[in-house]
């Protein structure tokens, strides 16, 4: 999933002031000294019997980003709560997707961590390198596609949450125009935009979706501007695949509706909020740590892609004015995703040029989902760079 | 046509953050001091303003807190560069980095906080006129303040005695010193005023424009404001124009994307920077003008008596 995540560290470069920005950029790599922060509360006293399993997390952003890294850290906390003094967790924030990542990862191993989570796409190569040198340590890489003897990749099916948001959006829109604020045009994000639209079309065939790209994972002012322009262009229900709650708050300010993303954002915009498509990393982290503790951990050639079925994805806090039939439909979708009877990406599906991309009754496999670079029918415009293949 | 009126409204609102900050930096630079700490000051002001509004519910107290935060940081910067003669560029960069880190540290507890419902503003009578009303007269008071500030600065810098003294301190500090003006204090006052305005911009961002606090949320606007003072050749009207131009082209490129035109979004993302630099460079294409407008002692330290 490509370029994942977080160009937070490159916020400075945005400024286009090459000199000044370059300084910010490189200082950011130095500023967060990789001291293992936040010792586990429960690990203060030395364990009397078995040594606790040491688990480390490398984060690309700050825990306080309220989005991506925040969600991962909630997963870490859940692990601590679950296993108490049997484990000892630590994390390092603001680890850039650069040579520094390898240094931090080696440092984690040096400190005796036996299970290491890297939570951004850009850590893939450094993790592979470090994993090769430390066969006794287990590595877990979020959103990657490569694996090794002691390295496994994992991810979340965020598009399932996007689909459910779409079902609500299709029901609630009055103008039949939905708006999506996209971050970086990679398959993951395009898939979410498409799934959102498919969900909306399932209850309202007339909807169309406008997309605006901000070119950033995290840039609240730009997200605000993008949301404003979508609303000005006639969209009355907004969705975003960016990290902050700025889109929701813009909708709140302008009297329109929107969704939360990554975490429950209902408190940010009580009037605008229609529900939140959330990622819950806790089930995966708890299960992985349990495997490691019980000696059952083993690698997997393909990434472990968890969704509603495994409790990793959910749609929460639907607004009070969402009709009961829609809420019931959401429950049906969740139940269907859980038992496998419901498939979101199932033909016939055509792209917005009218070409059939998925034949009737054919369900998309993960390889298809991983490479989506077209808009489905109903989404306006063209995927930036979507032509080259 | 209605959507173009909305585009104008969004432009005014988007340009205001940049206008406030870059006009502040203009005052600063007219006194001969370059403060690269704008981004850091705006971040600290953003959290100061946001936290104040969370606790008091009063936006105006929030703006005051933001201005105070910007002014305090600027005062520290001023003390270092004007009295201890540290390098202005290095000190400014340090201030930016410090501000980014410090605001994140202070702001940890506010990441998920929210503000009370945001007020709506409308100028009586004018706000109800069709088309123009929503575009021009339903903005936050600070939007009009930014325009008034630019107008006042034109008068202040070029028509008032105090403005003349301020400029002389930036052009030729030794002459001003010889005439008996307290060069260092005047420079400090200008730096603090600039910091307060950057602070106001930061607070406007976190309280009104994007009503939330998240680490690093200023996202480069401080650097853009710094660039605007230079590309606006240190003239208040051009700096203001540059701010709206940047805001306007940003909004326009989103608007174009939303209408589904077939231009790569990466190109459109670049457009605001390109267009602003191009237009401002064209306006001041005569290099002599830049030299005339640029404070002669900009960035140079001043040691009285040496």
């Amino acid at each position: 999933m490509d370029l994942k995540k977080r160009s937070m560290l490159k916020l400075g470069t945005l400024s286009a002031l090459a000199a000044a920005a370059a300084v910010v950029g490189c200082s950011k790599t130095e500023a967060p000294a990789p001291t293992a922060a936040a010792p586990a509360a429960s690990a203060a006293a030395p364990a009397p019997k078995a040594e606790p399993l040491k688990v480390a997390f490398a984060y690309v952003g700050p825990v306080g980003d309220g989005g991506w890294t925040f969600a991962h850290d909630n997963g870490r906390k859940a692990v601590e709560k679950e296993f108490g003094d049997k484990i000892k967790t630590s994390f390092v924030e603001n680890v850039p997707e650069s040579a520094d990542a390898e240094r931090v990862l080696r440092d984690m191993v040096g400190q005796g961590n036996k299970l290491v989570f890297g939570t951004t796409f850009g850590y893939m190569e450094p993790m592979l390198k470090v994993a090769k040198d430390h066969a006794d340590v287990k590595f877990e890489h979020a959103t990657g596609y490569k694996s090794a003897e002691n390295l496994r990749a994992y991810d979340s099916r965020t598009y399932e949450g996007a689909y459910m948001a779409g079902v609500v959006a299709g029901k609630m829109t009055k103008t039949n125009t939905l708006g999506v604020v996209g971050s970086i045009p990679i398959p993951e994000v395009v898939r979410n935009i498409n799934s959102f639209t498919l969900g909306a079309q399932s209850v309202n065939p007339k909807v169309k979706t406008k997309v605006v790209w901000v070119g950033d994972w995290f840039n609240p002012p730009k997200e605000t501007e993008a949301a404003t322009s979508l609303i000005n262009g006639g969209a009355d229900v907004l969705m975003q695949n960016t990290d902050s709650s700025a889109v929701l708050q813009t909708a709140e300010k302008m009297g329109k509706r929107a969704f939360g993303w990554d975490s429950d954002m209902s408190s940010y915009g009580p009037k605008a909020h229609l529900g939140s498509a959330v990622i819950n990393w806790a089930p995966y982290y708890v299960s992985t740590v349990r495997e490691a503790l019980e000696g059952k951990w083993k690698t997997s050639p393909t990434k472990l892609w968890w969704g509603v079925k495994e409790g990793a994805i959910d749609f929460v806090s639907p607004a009070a004015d969402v009709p009961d039939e829609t809420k019931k439909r959401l429950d049906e979708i969740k139940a269907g995703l859980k038992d496998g009877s419901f498939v979101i990406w199932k033909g016939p599906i055509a792209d917005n040029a009218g070409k059939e991309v998925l034949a009737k009754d054919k369900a998309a496999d993960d390889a298809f989902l991983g490479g989506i670079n077209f808009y489905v029918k109903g989404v306006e415009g063209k995927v930036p760079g979507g032509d080259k293949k | 046509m209605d959507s173009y009126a909305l585009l104008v409204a969004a432009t005014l609102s988007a340009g205001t953050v940049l206008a406030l900050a870059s006009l502040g930096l203009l005052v600063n630079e007219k006194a001969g001091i370059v403060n690269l700490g704008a981004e850091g000051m705006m971040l600290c002001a953003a959290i100061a303003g946001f936290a104040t509004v969370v606790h008091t519910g009063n936006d105006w107290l929030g703006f005051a807190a933001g201005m105070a935060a910007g002014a305090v940081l600027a005062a520290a910067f001023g003390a270092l560069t004007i009295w201890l003669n540290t390098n202005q560029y290095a000190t400014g960069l340090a201030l930016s980095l410090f501000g980014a880190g410090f605001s994140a540290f202070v702001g940890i507890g506010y990441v998920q906080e929210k503000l009370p419902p945001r007020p709506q503003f409308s100028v009586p009578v004018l706000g109800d006129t069709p088309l123009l009303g929503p575009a021009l007269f339903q903005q936050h008071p600070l939007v009009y303040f930014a325009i008034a500030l630019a107008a006042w600065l034109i008068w202040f810098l070029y028509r008032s005695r105090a403005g003349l003294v301020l400029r002389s301190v930036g052009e030729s500090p030794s002459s001003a010193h010889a005439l008996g003006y307290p060069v260092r204090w005047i420079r400090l006052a200008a730096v603090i005023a600039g910091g307060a305005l950057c602070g106001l911009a930061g607070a406007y961002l976190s309280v009104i424009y994007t009503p939330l606090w998240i680490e690093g949320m200023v996202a480069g606007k401080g650097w853009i404001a710094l660039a605007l003072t230079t590309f606006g050749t240190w003239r208040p009207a051009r700096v203001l124009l540059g701010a709206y131009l940047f805001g306007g082209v940003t909004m326009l490129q989103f608007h174009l994307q939303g209408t589904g035109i077939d231009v790569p979004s990466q190109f459109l993302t670049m457009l605001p920077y390109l267009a602003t630099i191009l237009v401002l460079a064209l306006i001041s294409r005569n290099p002599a003008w830049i030299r005339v407008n640029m404070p002669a002692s900009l960035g140079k330290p001043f040691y009285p008596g040496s």
Side-chain angles (χ1 to χ4, degrees):
Chain A
M1 288 214 229
D2 328 52
L3 307 178
K4 263 266 192 195
K5 278 316 174 180
R6 317 315 126 158
S7 41
M8 294 210 47
L9 306 151
K10 291 171 196 145
L11 290 177
T13 51
L14 234 198
S15 65
L17 273 173
V23 176
V24 169
C26 66
S27 60
K28 281 267 186 179
T29 63
E30 290 162 6
T35 45
S42 56
K49 3 180 219 319
E51 272 291 288
L53 174 72
K54 289 182 82 176
V55 185
F57 291 78
Y59 299 143
V60 69
V63 169
D65 71 354
W68 180 255
T69 293
F70 182 75
H72 281 283
D73 201 52
N74 282 343
R76 182 189 64 86
K77 287 182 187 146
V79 167
E80 274 196 342
K81 206 166 150 224
E82 177 77 19
F83 298 104
D85 54 8
K86 279 192 279 193
I87 58 157
K88 185 173 191 300
T89 72
S90 62
F91 65 87
V92 181
E93 309 173 86
N94 286 323
V95 181
E97 297 178 317
S98 68
D100 279 349
E102 187 180 330
R103 192 169 54 78
V104 171
L105 291 166
R106 286 194 192 280
D107 195 41
M108 287 174 158
V109 173
Q111 288 173 9
N113 289 293
K114 292 295 171 207
L115 180 58
V116 174
F117 290 91
T119 59
T120 183
F121 182 80
Y123 297 166
M124 187 160 73
E125 296 303 331
M127 287 194 97
L128 271 171
K129 255 162 112 185
V130 179
K132 219 163 79 188
D133 297 344
H134 298 280
D136 60 325
V137 179
K138 298 169 185 69
F139 292 88
E140 289 272 344
H141 179 231
T143 74
Y145 56 84
K146 291 186 181 172
S147 62
E149 268 306 291
N150 57 337
L151 170 70
R152 187 163 79 176
Y154 64 100
D155 203 349
S156 290
R157 295 183 188 270
T158 47
Y159 65 92
E160 294 180 346
Y163 181 89
M164 290 189 275
V167 171
V168 176
K171 197 77 208 167
M172 300 300 285
T173 178
K174 293 188 188 82
T175 60
N176 289 333
T177 305
L178 311 180
V180 181
V181 177
S183 46
I184 316 240
I186 57 173
E188 174 195 0
V189 181
V190 176
R191 184 172 62 236
N192 286 332
I193 295 169
N194 285 335
S195 302
F196 178 68
T197 308
L198 290 175
Q201 285 169 344
S202 74
V203 295
N204 179 354
K206 286 195 297 257
V207 293
K208 54 185 174 138
T209 304
K210 290 186 183 216
V211 183
V212 160
W213 297 96
V214 292
D216 244 321
W217 288 106
F218 175 84
N219 188 329
K222 261 175 132 182
E223 293 167 43
T224 302
E225 282 144 21
T228 306
S229 84
L230 283 168
I231 291 173
N232 288 348
D236 66 343
V237 178
L238 300 187
M239 181 65 186
Q240 74 279 356
N241 201 157
T242 46
D243 281 357
S244 85
S245 57
V247 172
L248 175 62
Q249 288 189 308
T250 306
E252 176 92 2
K253 210 162 70 178
M254 299 179 72
K256 306 292 179 197
R257 309 302 293 267
F259 296 92
W261 185 249
D262 279 358
S263 60
D264 187 345
M265 294 182 174
S266 47
S267 69
Y268 284 108
K271 287 204 299 278
H273 187 260
L274 279 172
S276 282
V278 301
I279 311 180
N280 180 9
W281 298 100
Y284 184 79
Y285 286 168
V286 167
S287 123
T288 302
V289 171
R290 178 167 291 126
E291 284 172 9
L293 280 171
E294 294 172 356
K296 287 178 185 153
W297 190 96
K298 61 176 192 298
T299 188
S300 154
T302 53
K303 75 174 168 188
L304 302 184
W305 207 4
W306 284 26
V308 168
K309 190 174 169 192
E310 293 86 359
I313 294 292
D314 202 356
F315 185 84
V316 298
S317 313
D321 59 340
V322 173
D324 284 338
E325 48 156 336
T326 306
K327 286 180 182 155
K328 224 178 98 211
R329 176 74 192 131
L330 288 177
D331 290 337
E332 285 166 20
I333 293 171
K334 280 185 211 171
L337 287 169
K338 270 193 185 119
D339 63 23
S341 62
F342 181 75
V343 180
I344 292 173
W345 281 84
K346 191 170 165 190
I349 291 178
D351 69 11
N352 68 353
K355 198 177 97 206
E356 188 179 78
V357 287
L358 211 53
K360 193 171 188 311
D361 290 331
K362 188 170 178 260
D365 58 10
D366 285 357
F368 177 91
L369 292 173
I372 288 176
N373 67 343
F374 57 86
Y375 287 146
V376 294
K377 194 165 72 61
V379 184
E380 293 183 350
K382 232 167 156 182
V383 179
D387 286 339
K388 55 175 186 277
K389 206 174 180 178
Chain B
M1 273 304 107
D2 198 27
S3 74
Y4 289 96
L6 293 166
L7 197 63
V8 172
T11 297
L12 281 177
S13 168
T16 296
V17 180
L18 293 172
L20 288 172
S22 50
L23 288 172
L25 293 166
L26 172 85
V27 172
N28 208 345
E29 294 183 9
K30 277 289 180 192
I33 306 273
V34 176
N35 187 351
L36 296 184
E39 182 88 1
M41 294 193 293
M42 285 172 75
L43 277 165
C44 287
I47 180 61
F50 186 82
T52 306
V53 178
V54 165
H55 292 299
T56 65
N58 186 321
D59 288 6
W60 301 100
L61 283 178
F63 297 143
M67 289 180 84
V72 167
L73 287 176
F77 168 86
L80 285 168
T81 52
I82 300 170
W83 269 273
L84 301 174
N85 281 322
T86 59
N87 182 298
Q88 291 178 19
Y89 299 97
T91 312
L93 286 172
L95 178 59
S96 252
L97 300 171
F98 167 79
F102 185 70
S103 60
F105 169 68
V106 175
I108 287 173
Y110 291 93
V111 168
Q112 298 234 299
E113 286 285 348
K114 61 178 175 108
L115 298 178
R118 304 288 71 211
Q120 295 285 338
F121 289 93
S122 177
V123 179
V125 188
L126 289 176
D128 300 327
T129 46
L131 230 58
L132 281 182
L136 299 178
F137 302 112
Q138 291 185 6
Q139 303 275 4
H140 190 270
L142 280 184
V143 173
Y144 309 115
F145 172 76
I147 300 169
L149 178 69
W152 180 78
L153 275 178
I154 293 172
W155 174 83
F156 172 77
L157 287 172
Y158 300 102
R159 293 280 180 275
S160 79
R161 184 160 183 84
L164 182 69
V165 173
L166 178 75
R167 282 191 295 141
S168 72
V169 158
E171 297 290 343
S172 175
S174 43
S175 311
H177 180 66
L179 287 171
Y181 290 112
V183 172
R184 295 176 155 186
W185 289 104
I186 293 170
R187 284 190 158 186
L188 182 68
V191 166
I192 290 178
L197 282 172
C198 283
L200 185 60
Y204 174 77
L205 190 67
S206 68
V207 174
I208 302 297
Y209 193 62
T210 323
L212 58 85
W213 163 255
I214 302 179
E215 196 175 327
M217 64 170 292
V218 173
K221 292 235 184 227
W223 299 110
I224 297 169
L226 266 166
L228 285 174
T229 55
T230 303
F231 284 110
T233 59
W234 296 275
R235 303 285 291 259
R238 282 185 200 164
V239 167
L240 189 73
L241 172 76
Y244 290 137
L245 196 66
F246 191 91
V249 179
T250 307
M251 294 310 299
L252 183 67
Q253 62 103 351
F254 288 137
H255 183 80
L256 292 179
Q257 279 194 49
T259 53
I261 62 142
D262 196 11
V263 178
S265 73
Q266 291 89 343
F267 175 80
L268 291 172
T269 309
M270 177 187 80
L271 211 55
Y273 302 90
L274 199 67
T276 309
I277 291 171
L278 212 65
V279 170
L280 290 177
L282 280 178
I283 292 178
S284 45
R285 65 188 173 283
N286 184 346
W289 289 2
I290 299 182
R291 249 174 275 132
V292 166
N293 285 321
M294 178 171 160
S297 298
L298 186 62
K300 291 181 192 142
F302 169 68
Y303 314 87
S306 67

